[in-house]
Amino acid sequence: MPKNYDRTRSYPMVLFMHDAGTVSSNPLITLTQGLGAVVWASPTEQAKHESFVLAPQFTGEDEGSDGNTTYLKTIKGLIDSVTGKYSIDTGRLYTTGQSGGAMTSIALDFNYPDLFAASFLVAGQWEDLDAVKPLAEQKIWAVVSQGDTKAYPGMTGIMDTLADEGAKISRAVWDGQSTVSEFAPLAAEMSAKGTPVNFVALKKGTVVWPGPSDDSGSNHICTWRAAYTIEGIRDWLFQQKK
């Protein structure tokens, strides 16, 4: 929760869904395996966007990323519990996740289409493109790597489906090795277009940091680090309201 929580105020909340590779009985794993959970709670981010951050840790192989309604109902129940206990603006709930967590966010989006004000999807995909059609009416910013042989064609398929359903989409290819300051004008330019759906592909060969092989798996994982450092996307998320 915000450091100086005030019951008389109403705060936005970010739900972060971790990837399937970090399932664990240790509730702290989701806080240490990348930036996706902790970036929202940093002092700098909270100074700009005071908010609650909800980062559940799953102990099984499936956290709802296959659309399992039992898990999704559990997540929805957790959200309802937190929003019922604290002063949270239910018109400013946001979901984000990486890999399997992005898939869980997608499943939540089409099962509960009125729940979130916007979604930030990182390295995600969905096989059944008919299922994602309700997302055409939602606000989404998706980031994938062109070197990710699953998420890149998968998310491209989702975007093409949403476009066929009438969604207005802005698309761009960015250098994945851009610095925070270099990402800033790119995100600002896309955000200024005012489209409800934004799709960024990080250019093949620019995503994997020195050391790992530049293969699909490394592109997949390295997308997470790059995407959550893009301040302009985080700012865009908090600007969205239902």
Side-chain angles (χ1 to χ4, degrees), residues 38 52 55 66 106 161 164 181 193 197 227 236-237:
V38 298
F52 280 74
D66 66 348
I106 291 169
T161 298
D164 290 342
S181 60
K193 294 179 179 179
V197 180
W236 172 89
L237 197 71

Side-chain angles (χ1 to χ4, degrees), residues 56-69:
Q57 177 67 45
F58 293 91
T59 60
E61 294 181 359
D62 186 343
E63 69 283 9
S65 60
D66 66 348
N68 185 304
T69 55

